[in-house]
Amino acid sequence: MLRKPDSALVIAGHGSTLNPDSAAPTYDHAETLRRSGLFGEVHCCFWKEEPSFRQVLHLIDRDDIYVVPNFISEGYFTRTVIPREFELDGPVTQRGGRVIKYCDPVGNHPRMTDLLLHRAVEVAPEVDLSQTTLFIVGHGTDLNENSAVAAKREVERIQALGRFGEVRNAYMEEAPLIGNWHEDSAYPNVIVVPFFISDGLHSYEDIPVLLGISGESLGAASVNALEVFKRNPYQLRGRTLYYASAIGTEPLLADLIAEQVAAFDQQYGVINPSAAAAVT
Amino acid sequence: MRDLTRFLSEWLADGGRRIGQVAITPIATGWELRHVDNLGRTDLPVKTSAEDARHLANLDDTGAFRPLKTAPNLPHGWCLQLPDVATVRVALEYFYPAMVGVAFSHRLGKLAPVSLRVTLGRQTGMYRVTQKITDEQARAMVDGFCAGCLKHRLWELEEPNATPAPAVAKAFPLLCQEACNLLVAEARKVVKSTAT
């Protein structure tokens, strides 16, 4: 089992200046991992909130630092923004007696498939999956992000397991549109899982409106907004519809964050800070 | 290895009692944190987990989101009792993210202020356009936007701020080593509004 008492873990999220819940899953996973004691210390940082990517290294005690992006896929933030803001040289950066190890984003972990399955079964525990269409919903038209590619990959993996009647991709802003869910599903039961790292307007409001289970603006983070996940199942358009919160809010994601650290060590070997001190 | 908990312990032992709008008071069971405006209140609900600070710091008195934690709008009406300095440190990371560490780096001479031009110069994507902001626009923006923040700016448009940073005293210094993303986003708005 992974134990890193001499290492710090930094979970790097997007955050938001508008949505009070955007940072919540990142904080939740950090608190879970802090309680686990797997790492000597655990911190968060954000692109849009504080501590920022630029600040976070100042609040860390340890010299051995793993950075795991809490992003759903590789893309602009993981390849450009985070490396630039942390001034990384590559997967391993040695600077000032410290070693900064840049791990793959959590969404790349192969067990994301298990989490999506877990979330789908959890939201619809009594359902005959063979009579169910599972939709994995992405944003679509994301600026140079690969979340759509990642979502398609997950759909193919889940489909290959043969547990669901069918597994389909859908998007908010490009075909196949989630708004056409009733036409694009062949089974009496429908489960919808948003492929996002946090809940926000998309999962509270936009997707529910497109699904037809909410016709009004509820406002992010309000008690009413959270109710949309609690009213399952919805009887709509001749189907039984189950709607889950964003996959990034799944508590088991914390395990995957830790496993990305283990995967880094496996790929690059364990590099300790004393080696960095000898270099700098 | 750094030791920020020890740094914080020494500050508290030297009589440090305030960081931003948070007052810190020694009590029999450890430390008590509350809004500086609520020092005399005896009717405050008591919280006992450092993680409670995350939720206390997230919304202002009107229930609006606080994306900038160093804005002077910390909500009132709470009391947080914590057993030791280590948990106080965790709570302060929620109230004033990174501020203890940034001040520690500054004391060690390891905090390099970054001018606004350098910060904007490395932006890509939707924020690359901020590089077009004029000096006049940038100065007006900083004067206006940063007035709503408790941090002391260590940077100027082209160079470090010549005004010395406040020292670590009874009130803990909140230091800004470079423009935050909120200011960069504001610069984009300024440039875009000029273009239209």
Side-chain angles (χ1 to χ4, degrees), chain A residues 225-249:
Chain A
L226 295 170
E227 284 297 312
V228 78
F229 304 120
K230 298 175 183 171
R231 295 198 295 247
N232 287 312
Y234 296 86
Q235 300 299 333
L236 197 65
R237 294 171 183 165
R239 312 291 173 79
T240 302
L241 175 71
Y242 298 82
Y243 181 54
S245 56
I247 191 60
T249 65

PDB file of all heavy atoms in Angstrom, chain A residues 225-249:
ATOM      1  N   ALA A 225     -31.209  23.464  -5.818  1.00  0.00           N
ATOM      2  CA  ALA A 225     -30.371  22.909  -6.882  1.00  0.00           C
ATOM      3  C   ALA A 225     -29.967  21.482  -6.547  1.00  0.00           C
ATOM      4  O   ALA A 225     -29.973  20.602  -7.409  1.00  0.00           O
ATOM      5  CB  ALA A 225     -29.141  23.786  -7.090  1.00  0.00           C
ATOM      6  N   LEU A 226     -29.613  21.240  -5.307  1.00  0.00           N
ATOM      7  CA  LEU A 226     -29.191  19.903  -4.913  1.00  0.00           C
ATOM      8  C   LEU A 226     -30.351  18.908  -4.955  1.00  0.00           C
ATOM      9  O   LEU A 226     -30.143  17.698  -5.094  1.00  0.00           O
ATOM     10  CB  LEU A 226     -28.586  19.938  -3.499  1.00  0.00           C
ATOM     11  CG  LEU A 226     -27.285  20.733  -3.371  1.00  0.00           C
ATOM     12  CD1 LEU A 226     -26.905  20.905  -1.914  1.00  0.00           C
ATOM     13  CD2 LEU A 226     -26.161  20.053  -4.136  1.00  0.00           C
ATOM     14  N   GLU A 227     -31.567  19.407  -4.854  1.00  0.00           N
ATOM     15  CA  GLU A 227     -32.737  18.537  -4.854  1.00  0.00           C
ATOM     16  C   GLU A 227     -32.858  17.733  -6.148  1.00  0.00           C
ATOM     17  O   GLU A 227     -33.453  16.668  -6.160  1.00  0.00           O
ATOM     18  CB  GLU A 227     -34.009  19.369  -4.649  1.00  0.00           C
ATOM     19  CG  GLU A 227     -34.228  19.822  -3.215  1.00  0.00           C
ATOM     20  CD  GLU A 227     -34.414  18.651  -2.273  1.00  0.00           C
ATOM     21  OE1 GLU A 227     -35.197  17.746  -2.583  1.00  0.00           O
ATOM     22  OE2 GLU A 227     -33.737  18.644  -1.227  1.00  0.00           O
ATOM     23  N   VAL A 228     -32.285  18.273  -7.218  1.00  0.00           N
ATOM     24  CA  VAL A 228     -32.438  17.607  -8.516  1.00  0.00           C
ATOM     25  C   VAL A 228     -31.838  16.200  -8.493  1.00  0.00           C
ATOM     26  O   VAL A 228     -32.247  15.324  -9.249  1.00  0.00           O
ATOM     27  CB  VAL A 228     -31.814  18.479  -9.642  1.00  0.00           C
ATOM     28  CG1 VAL A 228     -30.292  18.374  -9.661  1.00  0.00           C
ATOM     29  CG2 VAL A 228     -32.405  18.111 -10.992  1.00  0.00           C
ATOM     30  N   PHE A 229     -30.868  15.977  -7.603  1.00  0.00           N
ATOM     31  CA  PHE A 229     -30.251  14.649  -7.503  1.00  0.00           C
ATOM     32  C   PHE A 229     -31.019  13.726  -6.550  1.00  0.00           C
ATOM     33  O   PHE A 229     -30.713  12.543  -6.448  1.00  0.00           O
ATOM     34  CB  PHE A 229     -28.804  14.769  -7.009  1.00  0.00           C
ATOM     35  CG  PHE A 229     -27.956  15.678  -7.860  1.00  0.00           C
ATOM     36  CD1 PHE A 229     -27.361  16.804  -7.318  1.00  0.00           C
ATOM     37  CD2 PHE A 229     -27.757  15.409  -9.198  1.00  0.00           C
ATOM     38  CE1 PHE A 229     -26.579  17.646  -8.094  1.00  0.00           C
ATOM     39  CE2 PHE A 229     -26.985  16.240  -9.992  1.00  0.00           C
ATOM     40  CZ  PHE A 229     -26.401  17.365  -9.435  1.00  0.00           C
ATOM     41  N   LYS A 230     -31.965  14.298  -5.824  1.00  0.00           N
ATOM     42  CA  LYS A 230     -32.638  13.526  -4.774  1.00  0.00           C
ATOM     43  C   LYS A 230     -34.033  13.060  -5.165  1.00  0.00           C
ATOM     44  O   LYS A 230     -34.701  12.410  -4.385  1.00  0.00           O
ATOM     45  CB  LYS A 230     -32.720  14.366  -3.494  1.00  0.00           C
ATOM     46  CG  LYS A 230     -31.355  14.749  -2.933  1.00  0.00           C
ATOM     47  CD  LYS A 230     -31.506  15.674  -1.728  1.00  0.00           C
ATOM     48  CE  LYS A 230     -30.136  16.112  -1.209  1.00  0.00           C
ATOM     49  NZ  LYS A 230     -30.257  17.169  -0.186  1.00  0.00           N
ATOM     50  N   ARG A 231     -34.474  13.453  -6.346  1.00  0.00           N
ATOM     51  CA  ARG A 231     -35.853  13.148  -6.722  1.00  0.00           C
ATOM     52  C   ARG A 231     -35.956  11.935  -7.637  1.00  0.00           C
ATOM     53  O   ARG A 231     -36.977  11.718  -8.276  1.00  0.00           O
ATOM     54  CB  ARG A 231     -36.479  14.369  -7.382  1.00  0.00           C
ATOM     55  CG  ARG A 231     -36.626  15.562  -6.434  1.00  0.00           C
ATOM     56  CD  ARG A 231     -37.613  16.587  -6.965  1.00  0.00           C
ATOM     57  NE  ARG A 231     -37.167  17.214  -8.198  1.00  0.00           N
ATOM     58  CZ  ARG A 231     -36.827  18.497  -8.309  1.00  0.00           C
ATOM     59  NH1 ARG A 231     -36.873  19.287  -7.244  1.00  0.00           N
ATOM     60  NH2 ARG A 231     -36.448  18.988  -9.463  1.00  0.00           N
ATOM     61  N   ASN A 232     -34.879  11.168  -7.724  1.00  0.00           N
ATOM     62  CA  ASN A 232     -34.903   9.978  -8.579  1.00  0.00           C
ATOM     63  C   ASN A 232     -35.888   8.944  -8.050  1.00  0.00           C
ATOM     64  O   ASN A 232     -36.056   8.836  -6.843  1.00  0.00           O
ATOM     65  CB  ASN A 232     -33.501   9.346  -8.626  1.00  0.00           C
ATOM     66  CG  ASN A 232     -32.553  10.185  -9.456  1.00  0.00           C
ATOM     67  OD1 ASN A 232     -32.870  10.594 -10.548  1.00  0.00           O
ATOM     68  ND2 ASN A 232     -31.371  10.450  -8.889  1.00  0.00           N
ATOM     69  N   PRO A 233     -36.499   8.139  -8.927  1.00  0.00           N
ATOM     70  CA  PRO A 233     -36.439   8.274 -10.381  1.00  0.00           C
ATOM     71  C   PRO A 233     -37.492   9.247 -10.909  1.00  0.00           C
ATOM     72  O   PRO A 233     -38.488   9.485 -10.242  1.00  0.00           O
ATOM     73  CB  PRO A 233     -36.726   6.854 -10.870  1.00  0.00           C
ATOM     74  CG  PRO A 233     -37.663   6.300  -9.841  1.00  0.00           C
ATOM     75  CD  PRO A 233     -37.238   6.910  -8.523  1.00  0.00           C
ATOM     76  N   TYR A 234     -37.225   9.748 -12.081  1.00  0.00           N
ATOM     77  CA  TYR A 234     -38.189  10.610 -12.768  1.00  0.00           C
ATOM     78  C   TYR A 234     -38.953   9.756 -13.779  1.00  0.00           C
ATOM     79  O   TYR A 234     -38.328   8.986 -14.520  1.00  0.00           O
ATOM     80  CB  TYR A 234     -37.459  11.728 -13.520  1.00  0.00           C
ATOM     81  CG  TYR A 234     -36.714  12.693 -12.634  1.00  0.00           C
ATOM     82  CD1 TYR A 234     -35.416  12.429 -12.211  1.00  0.00           C
ATOM     83  CD2 TYR A 234     -37.303  13.881 -12.232  1.00  0.00           C
ATOM     84  CE1 TYR A 234     -34.725  13.314 -11.401  1.00  0.00           C
ATOM     85  CE2 TYR A 234     -36.614  14.784 -11.420  1.00  0.00           C
ATOM     86  CZ  TYR A 234     -35.330  14.494 -11.018  1.00  0.00           C
ATOM     87  OH  TYR A 234     -34.652  15.368 -10.223  1.00  0.00           O
ATOM     88  N   GLN A 235     -40.265   9.854 -13.766  1.00  0.00           N
ATOM     89  CA  GLN A 235     -41.075   9.164 -14.787  1.00  0.00           C
ATOM     90  C   GLN A 235     -41.344  10.178 -15.883  1.00  0.00           C
ATOM     91  O   GLN A 235     -42.050  11.163 -15.667  1.00  0.00           O
ATOM     92  CB  GLN A 235     -42.388   8.658 -14.166  1.00  0.00           C
ATOM     93  CG  GLN A 235     -42.180   7.677 -13.023  1.00  0.00           C
ATOM     94  CD  GLN A 235     -41.431   6.405 -13.433  1.00  0.00           C
ATOM     95  OE1 GLN A 235     -41.467   5.983 -14.602  1.00  0.00           O
ATOM     96  NE2 GLN A 235     -40.740   5.786 -12.484  1.00  0.00           N
ATOM     97  N   LEU A 236     -40.752   9.956 -17.046  1.00  0.00           N
ATOM     98  CA  LEU A 236     -40.773  10.990 -18.068  1.00  0.00           C
ATOM     99  C   LEU A 236     -40.710  10.357 -19.450  1.00  0.00           C
ATOM    100  O   LEU A 236     -39.877   9.470 -19.693  1.00  0.00           O
ATOM    101  CB  LEU A 236     -39.548  11.904 -17.854  1.00  0.00           C
ATOM    102  CG  LEU A 236     -39.518  13.267 -18.500  1.00  0.00           C
ATOM    103  CD1 LEU A 236     -40.608  14.162 -17.921  1.00  0.00           C
ATOM    104  CD2 LEU A 236     -38.142  13.915 -18.249  1.00  0.00           C
ATOM    105  N   ARG A 237     -41.579  10.801 -20.323  1.00  0.00           N
ATOM    106  CA  ARG A 237     -41.560  10.368 -21.723  1.00  0.00           C
ATOM    107  C   ARG A 237     -41.538   8.837 -21.839  1.00  0.00           C
ATOM    108  O   ARG A 237     -40.784   8.263 -22.631  1.00  0.00           O
ATOM    109  CB  ARG A 237     -40.377  10.974 -22.455  1.00  0.00           C
ATOM    110  CG  ARG A 237     -40.518  12.488 -22.548  1.00  0.00           C
ATOM    111  CD  ARG A 237     -39.292  13.165 -23.054  1.00  0.00           C
ATOM    112  NE  ARG A 237     -39.487  14.611 -23.046  1.00  0.00           N
ATOM    113  CZ  ARG A 237     -38.501  15.490 -23.165  1.00  0.00           C
ATOM    114  NH1 ARG A 237     -37.271  15.097 -23.309  1.00  0.00           N
ATOM    115  NH2 ARG A 237     -38.762  16.777 -23.125  1.00  0.00           N
ATOM    116  N   GLY A 238     -42.313   8.209 -20.999  1.00  0.00           N
ATOM    117  CA  GLY A 238     -42.449   6.758 -21.058  1.00  0.00           C
ATOM    118  C   GLY A 238     -41.264   5.990 -20.518  1.00  0.00           C
ATOM    119  O   GLY A 238     -41.173   4.774 -20.665  1.00  0.00           O
ATOM    120  N   ARG A 239     -40.315   6.701 -19.875  1.00  0.00           N
ATOM    121  CA  ARG A 239     -39.118   6.041 -19.337  1.00  0.00           C
ATOM    122  C   ARG A 239     -38.998   6.325 -17.841  1.00  0.00           C
ATOM    123  O   ARG A 239     -39.617   7.243 -17.306  1.00  0.00           O
ATOM    124  CB  ARG A 239     -37.839   6.574 -20.006  1.00  0.00           C
ATOM    125  CG  ARG A 239     -37.885   6.638 -21.500  1.00  0.00           C
ATOM    126  CD  ARG A 239     -37.889   5.230 -22.123  1.00  0.00           C
ATOM    127  NE  ARG A 239     -38.111   5.325 -23.563  1.00  0.00           N
ATOM    128  CZ  ARG A 239     -37.172   5.643 -24.427  1.00  0.00           C
ATOM    129  NH1 ARG A 239     -35.943   5.885 -24.015  1.00  0.00           N
ATOM    130  NH2 ARG A 239     -37.451   5.722 -25.701  1.00  0.00           N
ATOM    131  N   THR A 240     -38.159   5.523 -17.219  1.00  0.00           N
ATOM    132  CA  THR A 240     -37.785   5.781 -15.827  1.00  0.00           C
ATOM    133  C   THR A 240     -36.362   6.322 -15.852  1.00  0.00           C
ATOM    134  O   THR A 240     -35.432   5.611 -16.265  1.00  0.00           O
ATOM    135  CB  THR A 240     -37.860   4.485 -14.997  1.00  0.00           C
ATOM    136  OG1 THR A 240     -39.194   3.976 -15.080  1.00  0.00           O
ATOM    137  CG2 THR A 240     -37.505   4.753 -13.545  1.00  0.00           C
ATOM    138  N   LEU A 241     -36.218   7.579 -15.448  1.00  0.00           N
ATOM    139  CA  LEU A 241     -34.941   8.288 -15.606  1.00  0.00           C
ATOM    140  C   LEU A 241     -34.273   8.515 -14.250  1.00  0.00           C
ATOM    141  O   LEU A 241     -34.925   8.982 -13.309  1.00  0.00           O
ATOM    142  CB  LEU A 241     -35.195   9.635 -16.289  1.00  0.00           C
ATOM    143  CG  LEU A 241     -34.000  10.569 -16.441  1.00  0.00           C
ATOM    144  CD1 LEU A 241     -33.019  10.037 -17.473  1.00  0.00           C
ATOM    145  CD2 LEU A 241     -34.462  11.972 -16.838  1.00  0.00           C
ATOM    146  N   TYR A 242     -32.992   8.202 -14.186  1.00  0.00           N
ATOM    147  CA  TYR A 242     -32.190   8.432 -12.971  1.00  0.00           C
ATOM    148  C   TYR A 242     -31.077   9.417 -13.309  1.00  0.00           C
ATOM    149  O   TYR A 242     -30.367   9.232 -14.300  1.00  0.00           O
ATOM    150  CB  TYR A 242     -31.571   7.125 -12.478  1.00  0.00           C
ATOM    151  CG  TYR A 242     -32.573   6.066 -12.092  1.00  0.00           C
ATOM    152  CD1 TYR A 242     -33.159   5.243 -13.054  1.00  0.00           C
ATOM    153  CD2 TYR A 242     -32.937   5.879 -10.758  1.00  0.00           C
ATOM    154  CE1 TYR A 242     -34.075   4.268 -12.717  1.00  0.00           C
ATOM    155  CE2 TYR A 242     -33.863   4.901 -10.406  1.00  0.00           C
ATOM    156  CZ  TYR A 242     -34.420   4.104 -11.384  1.00  0.00           C
ATOM    157  OH  TYR A 242     -35.332   3.127 -11.035  1.00  0.00           O
ATOM    158  N   TYR A 243     -30.928  10.421 -12.474  1.00  0.00           N
ATOM    159  CA  TYR A 243     -29.936  11.471 -12.767  1.00  0.00           C
ATOM    160  C   TYR A 243     -28.919  11.571 -11.620  1.00  0.00           C
ATOM    161  O   TYR A 243     -29.297  11.786 -10.467  1.00  0.00           O
ATOM    162  CB  TYR A 243     -30.646  12.810 -12.966  1.00  0.00           C
ATOM    163  CG  TYR A 243     -29.702  13.950 -13.309  1.00  0.00           C
ATOM    164  CD1 TYR A 243     -28.818  13.850 -14.374  1.00  0.00           C
ATOM    165  CD2 TYR A 243     -29.696  15.118 -12.549  1.00  0.00           C
ATOM    166  CE1 TYR A 243     -27.961  14.880 -14.685  1.00  0.00           C
ATOM    167  CE2 TYR A 243     -28.850  16.168 -12.856  1.00  0.00           C
ATOM    168  CZ  TYR A 243     -27.977  16.036 -13.922  1.00  0.00           C
ATOM    169  OH  TYR A 243     -27.119  17.058 -14.232  1.00  0.00           O
ATOM    170  N   ALA A 244     -27.642  11.398 -11.947  1.00  0.00           N
ATOM    171  CA  ALA A 244     -26.577  11.400 -10.933  1.00  0.00           C
ATOM    172  C   ALA A 244     -25.843  12.745 -10.912  1.00  0.00           C
ATOM    173  O   ALA A 244     -25.888  13.491 -11.894  1.00  0.00           O
ATOM    174  CB  ALA A 244     -25.584  10.286 -11.236  1.00  0.00           C
ATOM    175  N   SER A 245     -25.185  13.031  -9.812  1.00  0.00           N
ATOM    176  CA  SER A 245     -24.339  14.230  -9.756  1.00  0.00           C
ATOM    177  C   SER A 245     -23.021  13.942 -10.477  1.00  0.00           C
ATOM    178  O   SER A 245     -22.719  12.806 -10.842  1.00  0.00           O
ATOM    179  CB  SER A 245     -24.095  14.670  -8.313  1.00  0.00           C
ATOM    180  OG  SER A 245     -23.549  13.621  -7.573  1.00  0.00           O
ATOM    181  N   ALA A 246     -22.230  15.002 -10.686  1.00  0.00           N
ATOM    182  CA  ALA A 246     -21.005  14.910 -11.490  1.00  0.00           C
ATOM    183  C   ALA A 246     -20.083  13.808 -10.958  1.00  0.00           C
ATOM    184  O   ALA A 246     -19.939  13.633  -9.742  1.00  0.00           O
ATOM    185  CB  ALA A 246     -20.286  16.241 -11.491  1.00  0.00           C
ATOM    186  N   ILE A 247     -19.444  13.095 -11.875  1.00  0.00           N
ATOM    187  CA  ILE A 247     -18.595  11.962 -11.474  1.00  0.00           C
ATOM    188  C   ILE A 247     -17.448  12.415 -10.562  1.00  0.00           C
ATOM    189  O   ILE A 247     -16.983  11.665  -9.698  1.00  0.00           O
ATOM    190  CB  ILE A 247     -18.069  11.201 -12.709  1.00  0.00           C
ATOM    191  CG1 ILE A 247     -17.416   9.887 -12.294  1.00  0.00           C
ATOM    192  CG2 ILE A 247     -17.104  12.058 -13.526  1.00  0.00           C
ATOM    193  CD1 ILE A 247     -18.315   8.927 -11.562  1.00  0.00           C
ATOM    194  N   GLY A 248     -17.001  13.658 -10.727  1.00  0.00           N
ATOM    195  CA  GLY A 248     -15.904  14.147  -9.893  1.00  0.00           C
ATOM    196  C   GLY A 248     -16.250  14.279  -8.425  1.00  0.00           C
ATOM    197  O   GLY A 248     -15.356  14.403  -7.585  1.00  0.00           O
ATOM    198  N   THR A 249     -17.538  14.251  -8.091  1.00  0.00           N
ATOM    199  CA  THR A 249     -17.937  14.337  -6.675  1.00  0.00           C
ATOM    200  C   THR A 249     -17.921  12.971  -6.006  1.00  0.00           C
ATOM    201  O   THR A 249     -18.177  12.871  -4.813  1.00  0.00           O
ATOM    202  CB  THR A 249     -19.352  14.935  -6.535  1.00  0.00           C
ATOM    203  OG1 THR A 249     -20.297  14.045  -7.140  1.00  0.00           O
ATOM    204  CG2 THR A 249     -19.434  16.301  -7.197  1.00  0.00           C
TER     205      THR A 249
END
